[in-house]
Amino acid sequence: MTPSSLLDIVPVIPVVVVHDAADAVPIAQALVDGGLPMIELTLRTPAALEAIKRIANEVPDIFVGAGTIVDTHQPQQAAAAGAQFLVSPGSTPALRAAMRDSGLPHLPGVATVSEVLRLLEHGYTEMKFFPAEPAGGAPYLRAIHSPVPAARFCPTGGITPANLADYLNSPNVRCVGGSWLTPADAVERRDWPRISGLASAVRGVAIPRH
Ligand code: 3PG
């Protein structure tokens, strides 16, 4: 699947840190079972690329991507593992070029208006807003919508079920990213039904489509 927009697939992109690649497939399947067929594996652990590979091979119903792209080698490594999209917390020229060269849809990250403007200058209208809560949260995004209406965001960092609706109600937010769907203790106990339950709870939140 190559979506026209990474922001329109699911209302919440599960951001997942995997320490043991053996957990990857059951986590991905639990998210699909809960109604969220998208997963971002952060490249923060040695198991991440193998986790992407296993999910790409064994869970065809999920759209699998690599997050925490912070160096220029990672886009190609992620693509070779089977990643279908890329997410970065930042947006340096070299990272943008490496993500573009991978041929994969990708979300560069921003936290300031100047960074947003720079990405718009380079033809991006969709970006990650990170770290969302420390950088100003939903009020910040609402405040920049009027001066910079072309930008659309996937905020990530500090988003929880308690503030999810506030973000999704912001006119320039199409989806959010969050790690709360795959809590470390649930993964440790291999409590896959709990992960499915957290995923399906997202569907209870009213999803405005701006
Ligand atoms: C990310 O990688 O985008 C964030 O670290 C996820 O943030 P959260 O753990 O606060 O959801």
Side-chain angles (χ1 to χ4, degrees), residues 36-176:
L36 287 182
M38 189 166 182
I39 183 169
E40 175 191 325
L41 276 301
T42 64
L43 300 186
R44 295 181 203 174
T45 60
L49 287 173
E50 176 63 21
I52 290 170
K53 200 185 225 171
R54 291 190 190 192
I55 293 170
N57 287 332
E58 297 177 43
V59 192
D61 293 339
I62 205 160
F63 195 54
V64 59
T68 322
I69 298 283
V70 292
D71 82 49
T72 55
H73 302 295
Q74 289 170 322
Q76 200 45 52
Q77 291 167 344
Q84 296 166 291
F85 69 95
L86 305 172
V87 181
S88 176
S91 53
T92 68
L95 273 183
R96 281 200 316 267
M99 290 196 285
R100 278 199 159 143
D101 287 349
S102 76
L104 296 175
H106 55 278
L107 288 179
V110 294
T112 69
V113 172
S114 291
E115 289 167 351
V116 173
L117 294 176
R118 206 166 298 128
L119 283 186
L120 289 170
E121 286 167 4
H122 286 278
Y124 291 89
T125 55
E126 300 190 341
M127 44 202 94
K128 167 170 169 149
F129 175 58
F130 178 82
E133 279 291 289
Y140 180 94
L141 289 168
R142 273 194 286 273
I144 67 172
H145 177 56
S146 173
V148 197
R152 293 281 176 275
F153 299 95
C154 174
T156 304
I159 299 176
T160 67
N163 58 17
L164 172 63
D166 195 24
Y167 277 96
L168 291 176
N169 277 306
S170 199
N172 46 5
V173 171
R174 304 286 306 185
C175 69
V176 308

Side-chain angles (χ1 to χ4, degrees), residues 181-203:
L181 299 151
T182 52
D185 63 321
V187 174
E188 204 170 302
R189 289 183 203 135
R190 304 179 70 79
D191 187 353
W192 315 132
R194 183 167 159 217
I195 291 175
S196 290
L198 288 165
S200 55
V202 163
R203 290 184 306 189

